[in-house]
Amino acid sequence: MAMTRLCRLLLLLPTLCPMLAMAARPMITDDARVVDPNSCQLESWAKHNRDSTEYWVLPGCSPRENLELTLGGAVTRQDGESQNSDLMLQAKLLFKQLETNSYGYGLVVGHAQHPRLDNNSSMIGNTYAYIPVSASFFSDKLILHTNLGALHDKENNRTDMTWGLGSEIPLANKLDLIAETYGDHRSRPYYQAGLRYWLVPERVQIDTTYGNRMHNNSDERWLSIGLRLLSAPLW
């Protein structure tokens, strides 16, 4: 019964919160945190690339302690037209919660569907897994996140090793500086940096970031703006 309610919440959250069509989850490097048990969140963002804009919505819920399930996707607008571009299903399990002046770690597995590069109407799938590790220093004045994992590219029938390194640094009472770099073992890494602000502590958060590929002047740069909502326990 609890899982049935969870699935319904995951499917209904985007329709219950239409104002989130232009919002963002800022960091690609994941953290060793999950939402509170029996609670949900909605991470969403608009990412403006050089030739397109992506609108993402990722609702997630915690059916029990230390477990978070996410189901969502994106719509991309390019050349004046919109189309479905991505679908994602992910599960995160924590083995140790992140605490002040300590560390946490877990396991994430997921599957993402993407459009084919040749404009074929069919979708291709990538399956991935990684280990998120987070550590707190100086009473949460610095929090570091690392990811190490793998992604299987179905279309090219290959597996890439993936990695990420991110940081959170409080600048003021409700304002954080965030920065990260991430990539895989086959190509130049990406970087991203920005600000995160709590409009309502522990409930409503906004953010904005700028990113690009290392040693790239402009072709792959992007800007994002995002909104994150967290609920009180729902069941």
Side-chain angles (χ1 to χ4, degrees):
M1 182 65 69
M3 289 302 295
T4 300
R5 290 197 297 266
L6 172 65
C7 291
R8 289 175 180 170
L9 283 167
L10 285 171
L11 293 173
L12 288 175
L13 266 172
T15 60
L16 293 174
C17 302
M19 76 289 290
L20 297 177
M22 296 184 63
R25 173 186 180 183
M27 297 182 71
I28 301 300
T29 304
D30 208 349
D31 55 13
R33 304 186 184 108
V34 296
V35 294
D36 294 336
N38 304 326
S39 300
C40 293
Q41 69 174 356
L42 188 58
E43 295 178 301
S44 56
W45 68 93
K47 179 182 176 185
H48 181 67
N49 307 301
R50 183 182 181 186
D51 300 315
S52 64
T53 302
E54 304 168 23
Y55 302 100
W56 281 86
V57 176
L58 291 179
C61 293
S62 176
R64 68 176 192 73
E65 189 173 4
N66 294 337
L67 176 64
E68 181 180 291
L69 303 178
T70 300
L71 172 64
V75 172
T76 297
R77 185 171 182 82
Q78 187 172 11
D79 299 325
E81 297 184 359
S82 298
Q83 61 182 11
N84 294 327
S85 58
D86 294 88
L87 296 172
M88 192 191 82
L89 173 64
Q90 178 178 286
K92 182 196 291 189
L93 176 64
L94 291 188
F95 302 119
K96 185 181 186 304
Q97 288 270 10
L98 174 64
E99 298 177 351
T100 300
N101 294 324
S102 185
Y103 67 94
Y105 64 96
L107 175 66
V108 176
V109 294
H111 182 77
Q113 293 273 42
H114 307 281
R116 297 176 64 94
L117 296 178
D118 57 9
N119 294 321
N120 189 304
S121 61
S122 63
M123 303 281 279
I124 57 174
N126 293 333
T127 301
Y128 60 89
Y130 57 86
I131 297 174
V133 179
S134 298
S136 166
F137 302 93
F138 315 115
S139 299
D140 290 342
K141 294 298 187 294
L142 171 64
I143 299 177
L144 297 179
H145 311 292
T146 62
N147 292 175
L148 183 63
L151 180 146
H152 180 68
D153 184 340
K154 183 177 179 181
E155 184 177 36
N156 296 311
N157 193 27
R158 74 184 191 191
T159 299
D160 296 333
M161 303 304 297
T162 60
W163 60 272
L165 176 62
S167 63
E168 302 176 29
I169 302 174
L171 298 179
N173 187 31
K174 301 178 182 178
L175 181 67
D176 292 342
L177 171 67
I178 54 177
E180 66 175 339
T181 181
Y182 59 91
D184 59 52
H185 75 287
R186 299 180 188 272
S187 57
R188 285 178 297 161
Y190 294 90
Y191 67 88
Q192 183 174 213
L195 298 172
R196 174 190 290 159
Y197 181 75
W198 285 104
L199 287 176
V200 179
E202 308 304 322
R203 288 290 180 262
V204 182
Q205 187 181 78
I206 58 174
D207 60 77
T208 183
T209 63
Y210 169 84
N212 201 346
R213 190 188 289 268
M214 294 285 191
H215 311 299
N216 188 319
N217 291 329
S218 63
D219 288 349
E220 297 178 84
R221 66 184 177 185
W222 70 85
L223 293 171
S224 78
I225 184 170
L227 175 65
R228 180 185 179 211
L229 299 183
L230 295 98
S231 78
L234 298 173
W235 66 89

